[in-house]
Amino acid sequence: MTVPMTLDLPGAQEMSAGDAHAFASDPPAYLRRLQDLHGDVFRNGPGQVYVGRPELVQLLLARTNRDTSAEMDVLGDMRAPTRNQVEGWMRARRLASTAFREPAVTAHLGAVDRAVRAQLRAASSGTPFDPMDVAPEVFVHAALPFCMPGTDPAVAPAAVDAARTFLDVIENGMGAPPAQQRERQEAARSAKQALRDATDAVSAQDAPLVPGCPHTVVHATQELQPGVRSHVLTTVLSAASVVPGAALAWLFHELTRRPTETARIRDEARSLPDDLDGCALAEVLPYAQGFAKEVLRFHPPTWMTGRATGDPVDLGTHRLPPRQFVSFSPYLLHRDARWWDEPERFLPERWLGSHPPHAPHAYLPFGSGTRVCIATHLGVAVLAVAAARLASDHVVEAAGPLPVTSRFGVPMRPENLRIVLRDA
Ligand code: HEM
């Protein structure tokens, strides 16, 4: 039986000043209200469609690069990439991804651990800090052994700066007056060039392999032209900083307010071997891994994202009009009682069973489909190892006078969070 397609979507073609205000003051509450009113697929402004069912989001993501586009030229003219550009990136990402496969993360878990411990030791001074000032660099250091053989002190800060300035264009540049938008784009372009200079300098040095980590993005992309390799490396390094850093900042926050869970992580960490190389995360840190996944469920840094369509796209029984931005929210999917038991409770143990604790496609902290994050295993591993080392080697306390809230920006990050880290 063929199911008829609906062309008419409920919702508003325009966004009133009241809607814009409601969205700005509490974005999830605004979207939930529209979802209650219109169902799971609706218009939410000019050229905008929102999709709130996991299986439809999955269909949308599976069609990326074919019927929909994942990115636009944020530092140029905001156009979608050409077919050649997309094919070039897909070839490069296929090669680069091999450095982040689960067996590679297991083989080099010790390198992650050493980097995380060194970074946490450096931050453990008893002086309050905003974790968003620290966590992005911690993440880059943990990812570096998988990216390039050897490094330079300039690389990690340059990666963070490239990501911050790029995300600033998306978060603050889009609706800004053209002069301000150009200024932000210029700042992002020069930060990207500085990262390129820092990584090119290292790659050109014929640097020795990182001990115990022979396979990196640089090795995996040998067959590409030097300019393309350099682009891939800078893209991967900047993706390894601010978005993952926001997840780590949320992990700090959850540790400060969950003494029982922290004690359980500490107990688990007691039996860790000295060298984690070759250790499967799920075997040595099952509870810390559950804690990390729960942090990503509760606080997905990419809380809302989407795809741009060119031609009309069919999603289930809906035919989406052409030239739309089709958005979805991992944050709302992760907190929907239709897809999870007790979604408003923070329960790391929900991840300890042998089956996923959610309806299919309802857990999307790393996206999904053709453009899913290339470092999902590494992302969870860094968070779990950081939880283990924070719980066992440090005392983590919150120091801010104001209540911690979520800033629903790019990425979603904690606001008013101040952390004090001391040695245990
Ligand atoms: C907890 C940590 C992390 C989170 C939550 C995260 C999340 C994401 C998300 C949501 C996307 C977009 C996926 C989509 O649109 O379907 C993405 C893409 C990406 N991520 Fe991650 N990520 C993390 C860690 C990392 C790390 C450590 C690296 C590099 C070492 C990395 C490299 C990338 C790259 C290169 C892309 C772009 C893929 C493409 O466009 O083809 N990510 N990530």
Side-chain angles (χ1 to χ4, degrees):
M1 189 182 77
T2 49
V3 184
M5 295 284 173
T6 26
L7 270 166
D8 284 339
L9 295 175
Q13 302 259 20
E14 298 303 322
M15 212 180 188
S16 68
D19 287 338
H21 177 73
F23 180 75
S25 45
D26 190 342
Y30 172 77
L31 288 169
R32 264 194 202 115
R33 189 164 57 74
L34 292 188
Q35 208 168 349
D36 289 345
L37 208 62
H38 302 305
D40 285 321
V41 182
F42 55 86
R43 290 178 188 276
N44 58 332
Q48 308 260 358
V49 174
Y50 181 84
V51 176
R53 285 191 78 80
E55 70 277 15
L56 298 184
V57 171
Q58 178 62 19
L59 275 178
L60 178 75
L61 295 181
R63 286 168 188 194
T64 313
N65 295 352
R66 190 157 49 94
D67 304 327
T68 70
S69 168
E71 76 274 86
M72 39 190 185
D73 182 10
V74 170
L75 302 190
D77 54 13
M78 299 285 176
R79 289 215 188 137
T82 63
R83 186 150 291 281
N84 268 352
Q85 285 168 326
V86 171
E87 279 168 11
W89 167 251
M90 290 309 287
R91 178 171 170 227
R93 84 160 253 159
R94 258 191 306 279
L95 297 170
S97 308
T98 58
F100 301 104
R101 285 194 185 134
E102 194 169 1
V105 174
T106 300
H108 308 304
L109 197 64
V112 172
D113 186 38
R114 286 186 289 279
V116 165
R117 284 162 96 170
Q119 290 296 307
L120 294 180
R121 264 198 307 273
S124 187
S125 65
T127 310
F129 60 87
D130 178 342
M132 283 308 291
D133 292 338
V134 172
E137 222 172 296
V138 175
F139 234 107
V140 180
H141 279 282
L144 266 172
F146 297 81
C147 295
M148 53 201 298
T151 185
D152 179 283
V155 170
V160 175
D161 202 32
R164 273 215 179 102
T165 49
F166 178 81
L167 295 171
D168 180 51
V169 177
I170 301 174
E171 186 174 284
N172 301 312
M174 304 290 221
Q180 281 183 26
Q181 186 174 341
R182 277 196 300 276
E183 208 176 294
R184 288 192 164 95
Q185 285 174 319
E186 193 40 52
R189 272 193 290 267
S190 54
K192 193 173 167 188
Q193 186 57 48
L195 174 59
R196 210 168 171 143
D197 293 344
T199 51
D200 283 353
V202 179
S203 304
Q205 274 169 20
D206 198 16
L209 294 179
V210 172
C213 196
H215 193 248
T216 67
V217 171
V218 167
H219 294 92
T221 55
Q222 290 286 345
E223 66 186 69
L224 301 176
Q225 299 286 332
V228 181
R229 285 174 69 201
S230 171
H231 168 70
V232 174
L233 188 58
T234 50
T235 303
V236 170
L237 282 169
S238 43
S241 64
V242 177
V243 168
L248 182 55
W250 283 115
L251 184 126
F252 273 106
H253 173 58
E254 292 299 345
L255 287 173
T256 64
R257 56 194 207 134
R258 302 198 184 271
T260 311
E261 289 83 352
T262 305
R264 188 160 167 191
I265 297 172
R266 188 178 307 119
D267 280 351
E268 188 175 78
R270 277 206 186 100
S271 0
L272 280 180
D274 284 343
D275 183 353
L276 298 190
D277 276 345
C279 292
L281 188 67
E283 280 164 27
V284 289
L285 288 172
Y287 186 76
Q289 180 181 254
F291 190 89
K293 288 182 176 175
E294 193 66 347
V295 167
L296 290 169
R297 181 183 75 80
F298 233 53
H299 310 287
T302 304
W303 77 276
M304 188 168 175
T305 180
R307 299 290 188 256
T309 69
D311 295 331
V313 170
D314 293 340
L315 274 194
T317 57
H318 304 275
R319 175 156 294 168
L320 309 184
R323 291 176 300 284
Q324 303 289 301
F325 187 75
V326 188
S327 60
F328 63 95
S329 168
Y331 180 93
L332 289 184
L333 287 174
H334 293 179
R335 289 174 183 243
D336 191 323
R338 291 178 293 173
W339 329 121
W340 299 82
D341 287 337
E342 302 189 89
E344 290 303 332
R345 290 187 65 199
F346 185 91
L347 296 172
E349 50 274 32
R350 73 169 81 234
W351 296 98
L352 298 180
S354 48
H355 298 292
H358 54 81
H361 316 303
Y363 184 61
L364 296 174
F366 295 101
S368 181
T370 36
R371 301 298 288 272
V372 65
C373 175
I374 64 169
T376 57
H377 300 298
L378 178 62
V380 172
V382 175
L383 293 174
V385 167
R389 294 308 182 192
L390 282 165
S392 61
D393 302 350
H394 302 276
V395 178
V396 192
E397 283 166 348
L402 297 170
V404 174
T405 54
S406 303
R407 184 179 161 88
F408 289 93
V410 189
M412 181 181 81
R413 50 204 187 264
E415 202 151 61
N416 305 324
L417 179 61
R418 307 280 295 167
I419 292 292
V420 177
L421 203 57
R422 289 194 196 86
D423 294 347

